[in-house]
Amino acid sequence: MKKRLFIGTKVRLDELDKVRKEITSFGIEGKWVEEENLHFTYRFLGDFEEEKIPPLILSLKGKLKLCRAPEVVYRGVGFFEKKGIPRVFFVRVESEGIQRIKNAVDQALLPFGYPLDKEFVPHVTLLRIKRFRRATKFKSYVHRMKDFVFGEGKVNVVTLFESKLTSQGPIYTAVEEFHLD
């Protein structure tokens, strides 16, 4: 049996209602991430054999115990494009220490056949865009919000999540939590 897994950190952000109203006013439509599901991902594992989860937890625990809890600032917004059209709208995650956690996660995954990730862009997805209009207003908004701080703090927990896809949206369940000092 397999479980759909990812490794991430849950996030709480301020001022999201204001952002949602403004983006919606531009005629942009899509699926907003529920507040309880806000997170940033170190690594998406996809379907993972259940019997390999205990050794994965041990490997992650061994690598992450060497990491300190880094300071993080959630600042500014951005988007990922597909064929020149914004498809994912997000908040940027700024932190020098996040890369050390990402490296530890990648090292823990090597024995399970996951190669090192080449590119890591820490972000918190807010909206998966389905219909995009008013590009000028949207890009102006992204520029205007480049220094807006949605929150800050320490990343004290890295979580191995199971993700179950439902018609109402994904349900994330913590399989194991790794606490950082």
PDB file of all heavy atoms in Angstrom, residues 54-76:
ATOM      1  N   PRO A  54       8.600   3.981   8.317  1.00  0.00           N
ATOM      2  CA  PRO A  54       9.423   3.995   9.545  1.00  0.00           C
ATOM      3  C   PRO A  54      10.915   4.256   9.283  1.00  0.00           C
ATOM      4  O   PRO A  54      11.518   5.087   9.967  1.00  0.00           O
ATOM      5  CB  PRO A  54       9.157   2.633  10.184  1.00  0.00           C
ATOM      6  CG  PRO A  54       7.783   2.263   9.695  1.00  0.00           C
ATOM      7  CD  PRO A  54       7.726   2.792   8.279  1.00  0.00           C
ATOM      8  N   PRO A  55      11.546   3.605   8.271  1.00  0.00           N
ATOM      9  CA  PRO A  55      12.951   3.950   7.999  1.00  0.00           C
ATOM     10  C   PRO A  55      13.127   5.397   7.505  1.00  0.00           C
ATOM     11  O   PRO A  55      14.125   6.038   7.801  1.00  0.00           O
ATOM     12  CB  PRO A  55      13.395   2.960   6.919  1.00  0.00           C
ATOM     13  CG  PRO A  55      12.352   1.913   6.840  1.00  0.00           C
ATOM     14  CD  PRO A  55      11.117   2.444   7.496  1.00  0.00           C
ATOM     15  N   LEU A  56      12.132   5.905   6.772  1.00  0.00           N
ATOM     16  CA  LEU A  56      12.182   7.296   6.323  1.00  0.00           C
ATOM     17  C   LEU A  56      12.167   8.229   7.529  1.00  0.00           C
ATOM     18  O   LEU A  56      12.948   9.182   7.598  1.00  0.00           O
ATOM     19  CB  LEU A  56      10.993   7.605   5.403  1.00  0.00           C
ATOM     20  CG  LEU A  56      10.811   9.074   5.022  1.00  0.00           C
ATOM     21  CD1 LEU A  56      12.001   9.589   4.228  1.00  0.00           C
ATOM     22  CD2 LEU A  56       9.518   9.256   4.240  1.00  0.00           C
ATOM     23  N   ILE A  57      11.306   7.951   8.503  1.00  0.00           N
ATOM     24  CA  ILE A  57      11.215   8.775   9.706  1.00  0.00           C
ATOM     25  C   ILE A  57      12.555   8.772  10.446  1.00  0.00           C
ATOM     26  O   ILE A  57      13.036   9.825  10.869  1.00  0.00           O
ATOM     27  CB  ILE A  57      10.063   8.288  10.614  1.00  0.00           C
ATOM     28  CG1 ILE A  57       8.721   8.629   9.956  1.00  0.00           C
ATOM     29  CG2 ILE A  57      10.162   8.897  12.008  1.00  0.00           C
ATOM     30  CD1 ILE A  57       7.509   7.997  10.616  1.00  0.00           C
ATOM     31  N   LEU A  58      13.168   7.604  10.567  1.00  0.00           N
ATOM     32  CA  LEU A  58      14.487   7.518  11.232  1.00  0.00           C
ATOM     33  C   LEU A  58      15.537   8.329  10.488  1.00  0.00           C
ATOM     34  O   LEU A  58      16.352   9.021  11.099  1.00  0.00           O
ATOM     35  CB  LEU A  58      14.936   6.065  11.356  1.00  0.00           C
ATOM     36  CG  LEU A  58      14.219   5.226  12.403  1.00  0.00           C
ATOM     37  CD1 LEU A  58      14.670   3.776  12.328  1.00  0.00           C
ATOM     38  CD2 LEU A  58      14.473   5.790  13.793  1.00  0.00           C
ATOM     39  N   SER A  59      15.525   8.239   9.167  1.00  0.00           N
ATOM     40  CA  SER A  59      16.493   8.974   8.361  1.00  0.00           C
ATOM     41  C   SER A  59      16.292  10.485   8.513  1.00  0.00           C
ATOM     42  O   SER A  59      17.261  11.236   8.707  1.00  0.00           O
ATOM     43  CB  SER A  59      16.364   8.553   6.890  1.00  0.00           C
ATOM     44  OG  SER A  59      17.356   9.163   6.106  1.00  0.00           O
ATOM     45  N   LEU A  60      15.041  10.925   8.449  1.00  0.00           N
ATOM     46  CA  LEU A  60      14.746  12.354   8.616  1.00  0.00           C
ATOM     47  C   LEU A  60      15.133  12.825  10.012  1.00  0.00           C
ATOM     48  O   LEU A  60      15.736  13.886  10.177  1.00  0.00           O
ATOM     49  CB  LEU A  60      13.259  12.630   8.356  1.00  0.00           C
ATOM     50  CG  LEU A  60      12.826  12.599   6.897  1.00  0.00           C
ATOM     51  CD1 LEU A  60      11.309  12.530   6.793  1.00  0.00           C
ATOM     52  CD2 LEU A  60      13.363  13.800   6.134  1.00  0.00           C
ATOM     53  N   LYS A  61      14.805  12.029  11.022  1.00  0.00           N
ATOM     54  CA  LYS A  61      15.128  12.395  12.410  1.00  0.00           C
ATOM     55  C   LYS A  61      16.641  12.569  12.570  1.00  0.00           C
ATOM     56  O   LYS A  61      17.107  13.522  13.183  1.00  0.00           O
ATOM     57  CB  LYS A  61      14.626  11.293  13.354  1.00  0.00           C
ATOM     58  CG  LYS A  61      14.601  11.711  14.807  1.00  0.00           C
ATOM     59  CD  LYS A  61      13.972  10.632  15.678  1.00  0.00           C
ATOM     60  CE  LYS A  61      12.481  10.612  15.445  1.00  0.00           C
ATOM     61  NZ  LYS A  61      11.746   9.710  16.340  1.00  0.00           N
ATOM     62  N   GLY A  62      17.418  11.649  11.985  1.00  0.00           N
ATOM     63  CA  GLY A  62      18.873  11.717  12.084  1.00  0.00           C
ATOM     64  C   GLY A  62      19.458  12.949  11.428  1.00  0.00           C
ATOM     65  O   GLY A  62      20.364  13.585  11.975  1.00  0.00           O
ATOM     66  N   LYS A  63      18.954  13.305  10.265  1.00  0.00           N
ATOM     67  CA  LYS A  63      19.482  14.471   9.541  1.00  0.00           C
ATOM     68  C   LYS A  63      18.985  15.792  10.129  1.00  0.00           C
ATOM     69  O   LYS A  63      19.731  16.759  10.225  1.00  0.00           O
ATOM     70  CB  LYS A  63      19.122  14.399   8.055  1.00  0.00           C
ATOM     71  CG  LYS A  63      19.719  13.225   7.321  1.00  0.00           C
ATOM     72  CD  LYS A  63      21.222  13.270   7.283  1.00  0.00           C
ATOM     73  CE  LYS A  63      21.769  12.095   6.494  1.00  0.00           C
ATOM     74  NZ  LYS A  63      23.213  12.009   6.569  1.00  0.00           N
ATOM     75  N   LEU A  64      17.703  15.841  10.525  1.00  0.00           N
ATOM     76  CA  LEU A  64      17.133  17.095  11.014  1.00  0.00           C
ATOM     77  C   LEU A  64      17.588  17.453  12.420  1.00  0.00           C
ATOM     78  O   LEU A  64      17.521  18.624  12.806  1.00  0.00           O
ATOM     79  CB  LEU A  64      15.602  17.049  10.942  1.00  0.00           C
ATOM     80  CG  LEU A  64      15.039  17.109   9.518  1.00  0.00           C
ATOM     81  CD1 LEU A  64      13.549  16.799   9.524  1.00  0.00           C
ATOM     82  CD2 LEU A  64      15.302  18.458   8.871  1.00  0.00           C
ATOM     83  N   LYS A  65      18.073  16.477  13.188  1.00  0.00           N
ATOM     84  CA  LYS A  65      18.527  16.805  14.552  1.00  0.00           C
ATOM     85  C   LYS A  65      19.752  17.720  14.526  1.00  0.00           C
ATOM     86  O   LYS A  65      20.067  18.372  15.506  1.00  0.00           O
ATOM     87  CB  LYS A  65      18.812  15.537  15.352  1.00  0.00           C
ATOM     88  CG  LYS A  65      20.076  14.823  14.976  1.00  0.00           C
ATOM     89  CD  LYS A  65      20.296  13.614  15.852  1.00  0.00           C
ATOM     90  CE  LYS A  65      21.566  12.902  15.412  1.00  0.00           C
ATOM     91  NZ  LYS A  65      21.741  11.652  16.124  1.00  0.00           N
ATOM     92  N   LEU A  66      20.404  17.814  13.387  1.00  0.00           N
ATOM     93  CA  LEU A  66      21.566  18.688  13.234  1.00  0.00           C
ATOM     94  C   LEU A  66      21.174  20.118  12.858  1.00  0.00           C
ATOM     95  O   LEU A  66      22.025  21.004  12.795  1.00  0.00           O
ATOM     96  CB  LEU A  66      22.504  18.125  12.165  1.00  0.00           C
ATOM     97  CG  LEU A  66      22.980  16.680  12.391  1.00  0.00           C
ATOM     98  CD1 LEU A  66      23.734  16.171  11.172  1.00  0.00           C
ATOM     99  CD2 LEU A  66      23.819  16.585  13.649  1.00  0.00           C
ATOM    100  N   CYS A  67      19.895  20.351  12.592  1.00  0.00           N
ATOM    101  CA  CYS A  67      19.428  21.668  12.148  1.00  0.00           C
ATOM    102  C   CYS A  67      18.897  22.492  13.315  1.00  0.00           C
ATOM    103  O   CYS A  67      18.222  21.977  14.190  1.00  0.00           O
ATOM    104  CB  CYS A  67      18.312  21.509  11.111  1.00  0.00           C
ATOM    105  SG  CYS A  67      18.846  20.751   9.579  1.00  0.00           S
ATOM    106  N   ARG A  68      19.179  23.767  13.276  1.00  0.00           N
ATOM    107  CA  ARG A  68      18.642  24.725  14.241  1.00  0.00           C
ATOM    108  C   ARG A  68      17.372  25.349  13.650  1.00  0.00           C
ATOM    109  O   ARG A  68      17.225  25.455  12.430  1.00  0.00           O
ATOM    110  CB  ARG A  68      19.658  25.836  14.509  1.00  0.00           C
ATOM    111  CG  ARG A  68      20.922  25.333  15.149  1.00  0.00           C
ATOM    112  CD  ARG A  68      20.812  25.512  16.656  1.00  0.00           C
ATOM    113  NE  ARG A  68      21.945  24.925  17.324  1.00  0.00           N
ATOM    114  CZ  ARG A  68      21.855  23.884  18.142  1.00  0.00           C
ATOM    115  NH1 ARG A  68      20.699  23.318  18.378  1.00  0.00           N
ATOM    116  NH2 ARG A  68      22.916  23.414  18.735  1.00  0.00           N
ATOM    117  N   ALA A  69      16.494  25.805  14.517  1.00  0.00           N
ATOM    118  CA  ALA A  69      15.265  26.468  14.077  1.00  0.00           C
ATOM    119  C   ALA A  69      15.607  27.838  13.499  1.00  0.00           C
ATOM    120  O   ALA A  69      16.018  28.726  14.236  1.00  0.00           O
ATOM    121  CB  ALA A  69      14.296  26.604  15.246  1.00  0.00           C
ATOM    122  N   PRO A  70      15.444  28.020  12.191  1.00  0.00           N
ATOM    123  CA  PRO A  70      15.811  29.302  11.582  1.00  0.00           C
ATOM    124  C   PRO A  70      14.707  30.349  11.702  1.00  0.00           C
ATOM    125  O   PRO A  70      13.527  30.031  11.826  1.00  0.00           O
ATOM    126  CB  PRO A  70      16.029  28.932  10.114  1.00  0.00           C
ATOM    127  CG  PRO A  70      15.094  27.797   9.887  1.00  0.00           C
ATOM    128  CD  PRO A  70      15.046  27.037  11.184  1.00  0.00           C
ATOM    129  N   GLU A  71      15.125  31.600  11.652  1.00  0.00           N
ATOM    130  CA  GLU A  71      14.189  32.722  11.560  1.00  0.00           C
ATOM    131  C   GLU A  71      13.684  32.789  10.118  1.00  0.00           C
ATOM    132  O   GLU A  71      14.440  32.564   9.173  1.00  0.00           O
ATOM    133  CB  GLU A  71      14.888  34.036  11.905  1.00  0.00           C
ATOM    134  CG  GLU A  71      15.331  34.150  13.343  1.00  0.00           C
ATOM    135  CD  GLU A  71      14.187  34.346  14.323  1.00  0.00           C
ATOM    136  OE1 GLU A  71      13.117  34.851  13.913  1.00  0.00           O
ATOM    137  OE2 GLU A  71      14.369  33.987  15.496  1.00  0.00           O
ATOM    138  N   VAL A  72      12.395  33.107   9.980  1.00  0.00           N
ATOM    139  CA  VAL A  72      11.771  33.177   8.663  1.00  0.00           C
ATOM    140  C   VAL A  72      10.932  34.443   8.576  1.00  0.00           C
ATOM    141  O   VAL A  72      10.306  34.844   9.555  1.00  0.00           O
ATOM    142  CB  VAL A  72      10.853  31.946   8.429  1.00  0.00           C
ATOM    143  CG1 VAL A  72      10.143  32.034   7.114  1.00  0.00           C
ATOM    144  CG2 VAL A  72      11.647  30.668   8.492  1.00  0.00           C
ATOM    145  N   VAL A  73      10.947  35.066   7.401  1.00  0.00           N
ATOM    146  CA  VAL A  73      10.070  36.197   7.115  1.00  0.00           C
ATOM    147  C   VAL A  73       9.260  35.823   5.879  1.00  0.00           C
ATOM    148  O   VAL A  73       9.807  35.367   4.882  1.00  0.00           O
ATOM    149  CB  VAL A  73      10.864  37.504   6.849  1.00  0.00           C
ATOM    150  CG1 VAL A  73       9.923  38.643   6.497  1.00  0.00           C
ATOM    151  CG2 VAL A  73      11.728  37.855   8.044  1.00  0.00           C
ATOM    152  N   TYR A  74       7.934  36.004   5.971  1.00  0.00           N
ATOM    153  CA  TYR A  74       7.045  35.775   4.842  1.00  0.00           C
ATOM    154  C   TYR A  74       6.791  37.144   4.230  1.00  0.00           C
ATOM    155  O   TYR A  74       6.009  37.934   4.745  1.00  0.00           O
ATOM    156  CB  TYR A  74       5.748  35.110   5.323  1.00  0.00           C
ATOM    157  CG  TYR A  74       6.035  33.825   6.068  1.00  0.00           C
ATOM    158  CD1 TYR A  74       6.019  33.776   7.453  1.00  0.00           C
ATOM    159  CD2 TYR A  74       6.375  32.664   5.377  1.00  0.00           C
ATOM    160  CE1 TYR A  74       6.309  32.604   8.140  1.00  0.00           C
ATOM    161  CE2 TYR A  74       6.675  31.491   6.057  1.00  0.00           C
ATOM    162  CZ  TYR A  74       6.640  31.470   7.435  1.00  0.00           C
ATOM    163  OH  TYR A  74       6.945  30.309   8.105  1.00  0.00           O
ATOM    164  N   ARG A  75       7.532  37.429   3.142  1.00  0.00           N
ATOM    165  CA  ARG A  75       7.541  38.790   2.588  1.00  0.00           C
ATOM    166  C   ARG A  75       7.290  38.777   1.079  1.00  0.00           C
ATOM    167  O   ARG A  75       7.962  38.082   0.336  1.00  0.00           O
ATOM    168  CB  ARG A  75       8.887  39.449   2.849  1.00  0.00           C
ATOM    169  CG  ARG A  75       8.960  40.885   2.354  1.00  0.00           C
ATOM    170  CD  ARG A  75      10.365  41.466   2.290  1.00  0.00           C
ATOM    171  NE  ARG A  75      11.273  40.999   3.291  1.00  0.00           N
ATOM    172  CZ  ARG A  75      11.517  41.600   4.465  1.00  0.00           C
ATOM    173  NH1 ARG A  75      10.876  42.700   4.775  1.00  0.00           N
ATOM    174  NH2 ARG A  75      12.394  41.100   5.305  1.00  0.00           N
ATOM    175  N   GLY A  76       6.340  39.594   0.683  1.00  0.00           N
ATOM    176  CA  GLY A  76       6.091  39.784  -0.744  1.00  0.00           C
ATOM    177  C   GLY A  76       5.331  38.625  -1.364  1.00  0.00           C
ATOM    178  O   GLY A  76       5.173  37.565  -0.765  1.00  0.00           O
TER     179      GLY A  76
END
